[in-house]
Every structure is written in C-alpha cells, then in structure tokens.
C-alpha cells in the first residue's frame, strides 16, 4: 500500500466491491409489499387489526364487576390510575368462551375520549401479510363478527379477518350495556 496513493487505494477498493455486487439483489428485483398488524383469536376466529388501532396489549387484569350490566361487560379495572372498562369480545359476539383466563389478553383501544379494553381469547403478536393476500371476502361472513370486519388476509392456508375497532365503537349495540 505504500506504493499507491490513498485515491488509488479507494479506486481499487471500489472496483473490488463492484465485482462482488453481482450476487446482491438489485432494486429491479421484485420487492414484496407487506402489511403488519396485531393477530388475535376471538370465538375461534383468527383476526388481525392495525397496530395503530391498539394502544397496548395486557394480560387480563382483576376487574370490579358492575351491577345491572350485560354479561359481556366484565367490569372496570384500574390500569396505571385510569379506569379501563373491560368488554369480553367473545361473549359480546355471542360465542362460548373456551379459553382459560391465563391465556386471555386485553386489547386496549384508545381513540379520543374512548378508552376500553377488549378481552380476546389469545394474542399472537405482530403478523405480517403480503398486500397481495388481501381479499374483501372474509371467513366471518354470516357471523356476528362480520359487522366489524373489513376483508381478510390469507397466510399459510389460514384466513385472518381484518378487524376494525372503529366499526365496533360506532355500533349502537356496543353501548347498550344495561341488562
């Protein structure tokens, strides 16, 4: 290296790098666009919702029952000094609960003044889907979940219903909690 200048060394290094670049993918290669969301199970249906729709995921906290409410209102829980109404989404949809409490999770939805916890059967974490696997059709059609679903994604022969918490929050039946 003593015989070559710094510029010549950089030029040689650049040429060696370009010679090795043939094995790398190029920008012309097809890039698969993907969509990511939080996957969960409710009433035997695999669902996914946008990460922006969920403020956090919790284990099911202890709740104080409320008198005179429907059975799908589990009560309220104190979560970091805030009262979080807990709604059992499986029971709200008319399904029979089949999971143990230790497996259940709470999806916290916070939109404006709305702050609620939706109890689901299980949460699978982030799920990634090819945008090409999206379909407006859903396996939940004809089911009470269908009112809150907007299409589905297909992954490994499993259909994941695209759950929209906004549609649930805007449903007047959701606020009819008196027994």
């Amino acid at each position: 290296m003593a015989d070559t200048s710094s510029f010549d060394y950089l030029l040689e290094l650049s040429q060696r790098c370009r010679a090795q670049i043939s094995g790398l993918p190029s920008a012309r290669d097809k890039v698969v666009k993907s969509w990511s969301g939080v996957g969960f199970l409710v009433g035997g249906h695999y669902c996914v919702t946008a990460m922006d729709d969920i403020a956090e995921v919790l284990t099911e906290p202890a709740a104080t029952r409320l008198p005179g409410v429907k059975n799908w209102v589990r009560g309220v829980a104190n979560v970091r000094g805030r009262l979080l109404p807990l709604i059992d989404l499986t029971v709200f949809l008319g399904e029979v609960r089949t999971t143990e409490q230790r497996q259940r999770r709470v999806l916290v939805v916070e939109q404006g003044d709305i702050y609620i916890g939706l109890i689901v059967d299980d949460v699978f974490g982030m799920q990634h889907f090819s945008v090409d696997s999206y379909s407006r059709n859903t396996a939940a059609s004809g089911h009470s979940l269908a009112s809150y679903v907007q299409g589905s994604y297909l992954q490994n022969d499993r259909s994941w219903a695209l759950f929209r918490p906004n549609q649930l929050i805007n449903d007047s039946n959701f606020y009819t909690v008196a027994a």
Side-chain angles (χ1 to χ4, degrees), residues 63-76 84-89 91-92 117 119 173-179:
T64 301
R65 297 282 304 158
L66 300 171
V69 294
K70 293 188 178 175
N71 64 338
W72 46 268
V73 178
R74 301 284 292 173
V76 293
L84 178 67
L86 295 175
I87 306 300
D88 191 326
L89 190 56
V91 177
F92 174 77
I119 301 171
N173 292 328
F174 186 67
Y175 295 101
T176 310
V177 297

Side-chain angles (χ1 to χ4, degrees), residues 90-107:
T90 302
V91 177
F92 174 77
L93 295 171
E95 296 286 324
V96 177
R97 174 151 313 281
T98 58
T99 57
E100 298 177 23
Q101 182 175 359
R102 62 187 168 105
Q103 188 176 350
R104 294 190 291 248
R105 297 291 180 260
V106 176
L107 302 176

Side-chain angles (χ1 to χ4, degrees), residues 53 92 111 145-151 162-175:
D53 290 340
F92 174 77
Q111 295 178 4
L145 180 63
S147 301
Y148 314 110
V149 167
Q150 186 181 23
L162 180 56
F163 180 76
R164 295 294 189 188
N166 278 349
Q167 291 175 231
L168 178 68
I169 291 170
N170 292 327
D171 184 1
S172 61
N173 292 328
F174 186 67
Y175 295 101

Side-chain angles (χ1 to χ4, degrees), residues 21-170:
I21 202 166
S22 64
L24 297 175
S26 70
R28 293 182 303 266
D29 291 343
K30 184 178 179 183
V31 175
V32 177
K33 293 183 180 180
S34 65
W35 179 88
S36 299
V38 177
F40 61 96
L41 183 67
V42 61
H45 295 278
Y46 287 86
C47 298
V48 65
T49 190
M51 291 177 42
D52 293 344
D53 290 340
I54 304 299
E56 64 181 310
V57 177
L58 307 170
T59 57
E60 187 176 354
T64 301
R65 297 282 304 158
L66 300 171
V69 294
K70 293 188 178 175
N71 64 338
W72 46 268
V73 178
R74 301 284 292 173
V76 293
N78 183 344
V79 177
R80 289 182 294 286
R82 291 178 73 184
L83 288 180
L84 178 67
L86 295 175
I87 306 300
D88 191 326
L89 190 56
T90 302
V91 177
F92 174 77
L93 295 171
E95 296 286 324
V96 177
R97 174 151 313 281
T98 58
T99 57
E100 298 177 23
Q101 182 175 359
R102 62 187 168 105
Q103 188 176 350
R104 294 190 291 248
R105 297 291 180 260
V106 176
L107 302 176
V108 178
V109 177
E110 187 170 9
Q111 295 178 4
D113 292 339
I114 305 295
Y115 180 66
I116 58 167
L118 302 175
I119 301 171
V120 296
D121 297 326
D122 202 356
V123 171
F124 305 112
M126 281 185 58
Q127 300 295 313
H128 308 282
F129 304 93
S130 165
V131 294
D132 296 337
S133 70
Y134 176 78
S135 170
R136 289 208 172 268
N137 300 328
T138 178
S141 59
H143 184 271
S144 55
L145 180 63
S147 301
Y148 314 110
V149 167
Q150 186 181 23
S152 63
Y153 285 95
L154 187 63
Q155 179 186 62
N156 299 330
D157 296 327
R158 175 171 286 151
S159 180
W160 294 76
L162 180 56
F163 180 76
R164 295 294 189 188
N166 278 349
Q167 291 175 231
L168 178 68
I169 291 170
N170 292 327

